[in-house]
Amino acid sequence: MRIDAYNQIQQIYGSKSIKKTEEKRVTSSSFKDQLLLSAAGKDAQIAKQALASTPDVRESVIAPIKEQIDNGTYEVSTDDLAGKLLEKYNGLF
């Protein structure tokens, strides 16, 4: 039985397992999660925040119309209504 060959094999396997554990320690401690946003992503985020802060209804436009409806003085032009209906109808086909 050759003991020298066994010692050489043990040294080879022993050194590799030590290196692996050392590598694992180095890689696990040096790794950090990062989040990088592109310029387009940052612009989209700013636009989304601006949109969220604006109201859905412009009261300056709605208030006079509501007042006219309440007073019974609001009138719709039949020509304008027909024109808008035709635009929508033609846009469907």
Side-chain angles (χ1 to χ4, degrees):
M1 181 157 120
R2 290 181 49 191
I3 298 175
D4 294 331
Y6 177 73
N7 285 341
Q8 290 174 351
I9 292 173
Q10 185 181 12
Q11 289 174 352
I12 292 172
Y13 285 120
S15 65
K16 284 186 180 178
S17 63
I18 292 171
K19 287 181 184 176
K20 286 182 182 178
T21 56
E22 288 175 5
E23 289 175 9
K24 288 181 183 178
R25 287 183 197 153
V26 171
T27 57
S28 65
S29 64
S30 64
F31 181 75
K32 294 181 182 179
D33 289 334
Q34 291 183 337
L35 175 64
L36 300 174
L37 297 176
S38 65
K42 290 178 184 177
D43 291 341
Q45 187 177 22
I46 291 169
K48 186 176 178 181
Q49 289 173 351
L51 184 62
S53 66
T54 58
D56 291 337
V57 178
R58 293 184 297 171
E59 287 296 325
S60 62
V61 174
I62 302 289
I65 296 172
K66 281 186 177 181
E67 186 177 327
Q68 289 177 357
I69 292 171
D70 290 340
N71 293 338
T73 59
Y74 183 72
E75 294 182 16
V76 178
S77 169
T78 55
D79 293 335
D80 290 340
L81 178 63
K84 294 289 183 179
L85 286 174
L86 284 174
E87 285 178 20
K88 291 289 184 180
Y89 179 78
N90 290 331
L92 294 175
F93 301 106

